[in-house]
Amino acid sequence: KMVSDFMKIIIDDKIPYIRGAFENVAEVVYLPGSKTTPEVVKDADAILTRTRTICNEKLLAGSSVKFIAAATIGYDHIDTDYCDAAGIKWTNAPGCNSKSVEQYIASVLMVLADRKNLQLKDLCIGIVGVGNVGSKVARICEIFGMKVLLNDPPRERAEGSEKFVNIDRIKEEADIITLHVPLNMKGEDATYHMADDIFFNSLKRNPILINSCRGEVVETNAVKNALKTGKISGFVCDCWENEPDIELELLKMTELATPHIAGYSKDGKATGTQMSVQAISNFFNLELNNWQPSGVEPPANPVIKIDGEGLSEQEILSKAILHTYDIRNDDQLLRADTSNFEQQRGDYPVRREFPAYTIKTENVEKKTLEKLRQLGFIAPYRVPI
């Protein structure tokens, strides 16, 4: 083929591990999301994007774009109604960062347990939204020995009530509530401002609330009131209304605050890129269906040594989890300067998930080693005496 016969793909230059994927089969243009304009996409066949490029009629009308791939789980930046009407196929990367959010929540729980002197195995956690992320969070909470309540009305309608509870039961019994819902503006499963005054006023146990899904799911003034009046005993926030211009009063009131990075492990980003490349390949028959990202940076300290002498199981698990990711570092950075919220996301340091680490232990019981394995750590083994 001559290059002129090649298809043309516009790629957001912040998508990691993507360079080199399409160069043999397409003309590739790398641009910042904000520079992806109607002029640029006019003669393009495909767009590979993140969440910052609004893919709507204004961008796409009169272009030759046939396919849009978002290398993220979110797709609220794609006007799906317009694309469907215009015959433009689109895809996202559902679940690509679910293990990363699992790691984030694990770090949150261990830091809260340490600060508030909590035994996780004595606590009940309510998980609202049990999709790719929520189901993984449920799994780790079970490994920690917590009582887990699952709420997911769409899944409950599809699968029956056996493993799900209604939101009222979570409001009554949960010591911690964590939100993992998509942002739906309307309909019976609307989640916009789901956590509003009515929600907070009906909580029975003054739980800690965690939001790592979408900022608009929690109403800012309502959560501030709930903290002031003790309706909740703490708020952990990764997603904010009006990002990046976040509410500074709320930031001061949070237990832990991060700049929308729960899903930002390198593993999650690599998976999102891989899913997008394969989707474009499938659509255009490019024979890249087995493409794998390369060059994912190893963690700085891949071996975790733990001497369990005198430590509880929770303390051992906490050591392992916080070695891979300690949320307090991100919390400190955001509190120090909120003006570079986007930069903190863009320049996010290397974070690798549990399977990138090997554990060497002494004085650790077999059942605890098994839990480390279940979390995904590689072959925790006893150091020979």
Side-chain angles (χ1 to χ4, degrees), residues 297-316:
E297 305 87 328
N301 301 298
V303 178
I304 307 174
K305 293 183 174 141
I306 298 178
D307 182 349
E309 184 68 49
L311 298 180
S312 69
E313 178 170 272
Q314 180 170 295
E315 288 168 327
I316 292 167

Side-chain angles (χ1 to χ4, degrees), residues 149-271:
L149 297 176
L150 305 177
N151 170 260
D152 192 312
R155 276 193 65 187
E156 186 174 357
R157 288 196 299 273
E159 300 165 35
S161 300
E162 202 177 328
K163 54 184 177 193
F164 300 104
V165 303
N166 64 23
I167 194 76
D168 295 332
R169 179 137 170 238
I170 284 179
K171 289 174 178 177
E172 266 166 45
E173 295 182 31
D175 303 293
I176 300 172
I177 298 175
T178 181
L179 306 174
H180 300 289
V181 296
L183 179 61
N184 295 330
M185 301 306 287
K186 50 191 187 291
E188 65 175 322
D189 298 312
T191 56
Y192 176 75
H193 283 179
M194 167 194 264
D196 57 7
D197 286 322
I198 297 167
F199 173 90
F200 290 115
N201 289 334
S202 54
L203 296 172
K204 300 287 186 284
R205 296 180 63 91
N206 318 99
I208 296 164
L209 180 68
I210 306 170
N211 182 16
S212 62
C213 59
R214 282 286 180 263
E216 291 76 15
V217 169
V218 175
E219 191 179 353
T220 301
N221 285 332
V223 75
K224 287 197 298 193
N225 288 335
L227 285 162
K228 286 172 186 162
T229 55
K231 295 274 191 276
I232 54 175
S233 54
F235 182 45
V236 176
C237 190
D238 181 54
C239 305
W240 309 73
E241 287 202 276
N242 306 316
E243 291 176 13
D245 303 316
I246 67 174
E247 162 77 65
L248 297 182
E249 187 190 6
L250 179 58
L251 173 71
K252 288 193 181 74
M253 298 168 79
T254 55
E255 185 72 43
L256 290 161
T258 50
H260 203 152
I261 47 70
Y264 265 38
S265 72
K266 294 296 180 187
D267 312 69
K269 293 189 166 216
T271 305

Side-chain angles (χ1 to χ4, degrees), residues 49-53 55 68-80 90-97 132-133 181-183 213-214 260 264 272 275-276 345:
T49 173
R50 299 184 314 143
T51 53
R52 292 296 186 248
T53 304
C55 298
I68 298 168
T72 57
I73 59 169
Y75 57 90
D76 28 4
H77 57 296
I78 300 175
D79 183 339
T80 55
W90 60 273
T91 178
N92 61 327
C96 66
N97 64 359
N132 284 305
V133 176
V181 296
L183 179 61
C213 59
R214 282 286 180 263
H260 203 152
Y264 265 38
M275 289 168 79
S276 298
R345 302 180 80 215

Side-chain angles (χ1 to χ4, degrees), residues 92-142:
N92 61 327
C96 66
N97 64 359
S98 54
K99 297 293 285 182
S100 178
V101 184
E102 170 191 294
Q103 178 188 38
Y104 177 92
I105 298 291
S107 186
V108 168
L109 292 173
M110 290 307 172
V111 168
L112 291 175
D114 180 51
R115 277 188 187 172
K116 296 178 178 283
N117 199 13
L118 306 169
Q119 288 303 315
L120 293 176
K121 64 179 173 23
D122 299 336
L123 301 181
C124 172
I125 187 162
I127 298 175
V128 182
V130 194
N132 284 305
V133 176
S135 47
K136 289 187 176 67
V137 171
R139 192 185 74 88
I140 54 158
C141 292
E142 280 162 6

